[in-house]
Amino acid sequence: MKHKSVIYEIIVFSLIFIFLIVPPFFTAPVSSDFSLFSWDFPLKQAGLFAFAVVLYILSRNLNTKKGFFFPSMLALSSLFLCALIIKIVTKTPFVEHKTTLPVSSVQWIFCVLTFLFSAVYEEIIYRFYFSDALKRLLDFSPATGKKWVFWFCEIAGLLIFAFAHFYLGIAAVVNAAFAHVVLRLLYKKTNFIWNCFFVHFLYNIISLILL
């Protein structure tokens, strides 16, 4: 990396880490009778969505591999299988809180927008950006070329995404960890982050209704 690009990358990574990655770790745990969604217009999610799309446009790799339907369906099936196993083993939903379904067409629209914005934001930040950006920064250090750098970045991305869901309960952490592995593999396999968005969005919508 050139000197200016390194400074730019460090600044962007630091700001994203401080203002987007860290805050979920300080979210208070929710009680079992807490309803996570109110189904109003998701203003916060819309703002995060807009930021993530800009980040993607500025950072994207246009070398997209083929393979959309099969790997995406395999990933989606894996996520549902993991969620069902967790539900059976723990005898609780993988998210330990009350979920109220939308009751009107307007609420359903807001529900879809909430999951759409959240899926795009999380996939761009956690699957597309974080691990790869961290590796780019470490590659500029004396650790360049070391095998542990790759694994450190991947494990860091996994742990950060998983424990960002700790406020929802330990089952949610396990489920999120598995989801990250599946979606990260899907992205690296196809080099197309919108595969991950598609799977993430469908998974959340169907889970809301069935799980």
Side-chain angles (χ1 to χ4, degrees):
M1 284 190 240
K2 295 181 180 179
H3 183 67
K4 288 185 178 179
S5 64
V6 172
I7 294 175
Y8 169 78
E9 185 96 51
I10 291 173
I11 292 174
V12 172
F13 184 86
S14 299
L15 291 174
I16 289 175
F17 187 82
I18 293 170
F19 292 105
L20 299 180
I21 301 294
V22 172
F25 289 90
F26 295 93
T27 303
V30 298
S31 60
S32 59
D33 61 347
F34 174 79
S35 182
L36 185 60
F37 303 108
S38 60
W39 307 129
D40 298 321
F41 179 78
L43 185 60
K44 177 182 177 182
Q45 287 86 346
L48 294 174
F49 164 82
F51 172 82
V53 169
V54 171
L55 177 66
Y56 171 75
I57 292 172
L58 295 176
S59 310
R60 63 182 170 168
N61 179 356
L62 297 178
N63 182 27
T64 302
K65 300 177 184 177
K66 294 181 180 179
F68 177 80
F69 184 78
F70 176 73
S72 297
M73 292 302 98
L74 181 61
L76 185 61
S77 301
S78 299
L79 295 185
F80 278 115
L81 179 61
C82 176
L84 288 173
I85 291 174
I86 292 174
K87 187 173 182 178
I88 292 171
V89 171
T90 64
K91 297 181 180 179
T92 62
F94 62 86
V95 177
E96 300 164 3
H97 64 82
K98 180 179 66 175
T99 301
T100 303
L101 289 172
V103 295
S104 67
S105 57
V106 173
Q107 286 193 351
W108 271 110
I109 292 173
F110 290 162
C111 168
V112 170
L113 288 176
T114 297
F115 287 142
L116 185 151
F117 292 155
S118 297
V120 171
Y121 164 73
E122 290 189 354
E123 292 310 310
I124 290 176
I125 294 296
Y126 292 103
R127 251 68 71 185
F128 169 79
Y129 178 77
F130 181 82
S131 294
D132 289 343
L134 181 59
K135 185 176 185 300
R136 287 194 298 272
L137 293 176
L138 291 178
D139 280 344
F140 188 69
S141 72
T144 300
K146 297 292 181 64
K147 189 67 176 178
W148 68 263
V149 172
F150 169 80
W151 288 110
F152 174 80
C153 296
E154 293 299 329
I155 292 172
L158 165 65
L159 294 177
I160 284 174
F161 182 72
F163 282 95
H165 294 76
F166 186 72
Y167 71 100
L168 296 174
I170 191 63
V173 172
V174 175
N175 188 70
F178 182 81
H180 177 84
V181 172
V182 170
L183 293 169
R184 178 72 175 160
L185 285 173
L186 177 61
Y187 168 60
K188 300 304 283 187
K189 177 72 175 178
T190 63
N191 201 30
F192 191 49
I193 196 62
W194 302 107
N195 280 344
C196 301
F197 155 68
F198 170 76
V199 172
H200 192 152
F201 174 72
L202 275 186
Y203 174 69
N204 283 346
I205 287 289
I206 298 174
S207 295
L208 174 69
I209 299 171
L210 298 181
L211 298 176

